[in-house]
């Protein structure tokens, strides 16, 4: 399951997920979906959260609007929820995970890096800017900017294309079932960092080349699989 930690010239770029990999935010998404549904008399549960994890913003917004029997359109539903997430960011609730900054900076010193996230564009940009990570990323892609969200590989394929690297030469870091499936289907070498609160399914983990214990483990795996610092 775990590959040897030695430089591999076949790996020349890295694509990161954001929620659950760089920042602690999965619980906040669930809070906002639950709040939206509750305000319309519906009870959102963990089952619904698992269904929408990895979906693009337009996809989960359509699901949430229909589930909540909302008078609002899917687009308006998305705006309301994302506004709440931006407020949470402004209030300091979306923090970097332990080891995330060092992981990004160390890896970016060795290879170009991209972000492939299910979060909408304005939240991606706001999170990276707030935490001073924007300069390290050569490309960022939101699932809303490709035809299909995770578990389809579209967002990872788009990230590889923006980096100018073939998917099979990219490492990907993911935490959720649909994210792991998406990266594997794109043909990337997948490093899993399982989310403790939302554990990925066994079939999704089976597609990972390495299952990490924490972000320091992820960092060491990535650095050991890339060429020397640029």
């Amino acid at each position: 399951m775990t590959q040897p930690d030695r430089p591999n010239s076949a790996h020349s770029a890295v694509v990161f997920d954001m929620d659950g990999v760089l920042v602690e935010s999965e619980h906040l998404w669930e809070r906002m979906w639950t709040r939206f549904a509750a305000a319309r008399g519906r009870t959102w549960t963990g089952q619904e959260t698992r269904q929408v994890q990895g979906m693009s913003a337009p996809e989960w917004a359509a699901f949430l609007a229909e589930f909540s029997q909302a008078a609002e359109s899917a687009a308006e539903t998305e705006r309301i929820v994302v506004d709440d997430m931006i407020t949470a960011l402004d209030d300091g609730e979306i923090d970097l995970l332990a080891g995330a900054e060092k992981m990004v900076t160390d890896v970016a010193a060795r290879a170009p890096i991209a972000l492939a996230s299910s979060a909408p564009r304005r939240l991606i940009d706001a999170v990276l800017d707030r935490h001073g990570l924007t300069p390290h990323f050569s490309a960022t892609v939101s699932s809303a900017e490709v035809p299909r969200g995770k578990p389809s590989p579209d967002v990872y394929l788009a990230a590889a294309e923006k980096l100018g690297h073939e998917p099979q030469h990219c490492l990907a870091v993911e935490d959720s079932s649909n994210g792991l499936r998406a990266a594997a289907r794109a043909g990337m070498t997948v490093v899993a960092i399982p989310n403790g609160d939302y554990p990925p399914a066994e079939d999704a983990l089976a597609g990972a080349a390495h299952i990490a214990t924490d972000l320091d483990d992820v960092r060491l795996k990535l650095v050991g699989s890339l060429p020397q610092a640029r």
Side-chain angles (χ1 to χ4, degrees):
M1 184 177 295
T2 301
Q3 297 176 339
D5 290 330
R6 61 176 183 270
N8 184 343
S9 59
H11 295 138
S12 55
V14 178
V15 184
F16 293 99
D17 178 36
M18 186 175 78
D19 294 315
V21 170
L22 300 184
V23 293
E24 187 64 65
S25 52
E26 298 281 12
H27 67 292
L28 293 173
W29 283 112
E30 186 168 48
R31 180 204 296 175
M32 305 318 176
W33 294 327
T34 300
R35 175 189 296 172
F36 183 94
R40 290 151 186 83
R42 300 282 287 167
T43 302
W44 184 274
T45 70
Q47 179 179 341
E48 283 73 47
T49 295
R50 285 188 292 274
Q51 282 184 259
V52 302
Q53 276 181 325
M55 286 184 179
S56 68
E59 289 169 338
W60 61 247
F63 180 96
L64 176 60
E66 182 177 358
F67 174 86
S68 304
Q69 300 176 352
E72 295 88 350
S73 66
E76 180 65 9
T77 298
E78 178 186 336
R79 186 196 63 76
I80 291 168
V81 172
V82 176
D83 280 352
D84 284 345
M85 289 294 288
I86 295 290
T87 298
L89 176 65
D90 290 341
D91 290 343
E93 289 193 79
I94 303 181
D95 291 326
L96 286 177
L97 287 162
E101 183 174 11
K102 182 168 178 57
M103 175 180 67
V104 166
T105 55
D106 283 8
V107 173
R110 286 179 173 260
I113 65 172
L115 194 73
S117 176
S118 297
R121 167 58 55 189
R122 65 189 177 108
L123 186 61
I124 290 172
D125 291 346
V127 167
L128 294 183
D129 182 65
R130 172 61 58 89
H131 294 296
L133 297 180
T134 302
H136 299 292
F137 283 87
S138 299
T140 59
V141 185
S142 166
S143 290
E145 297 162 354
V146 296
R148 299 168 298 174
K150 303 171 185 179
S152 294
D154 301 22
V155 68
Y156 276 99
L157 294 174
E161 183 177 7
K162 282 194 170 188
L163 288 175
H165 289 252
E166 294 297 324
Q168 63 268 28
H169 297 158
C170 296
L171 292 142
V173 184
E174 267 287 358
D175 68 307
S176 68
S177 293
N178 283 338
L180 290 163
R181 294 181 182 119
R185 290 171 184 173
M188 297 185 179
T189 298
V190 183
V191 176
I193 176 69
N195 190 308
D197 293 326
Y198 308 97
E202 286 300 317
D203 75 283
L205 281 174
H210 179 74
I211 300 176
T213 54
D214 56 28
L215 291 185
D216 283 335
D217 185 11
V218 173
R219 175 177 57 82
L220 292 172
K221 178 62 181 176
L222 297 176
V223 167
S225 299
L226 292 165
Q228 295 299 313
R230 294 180 291 172

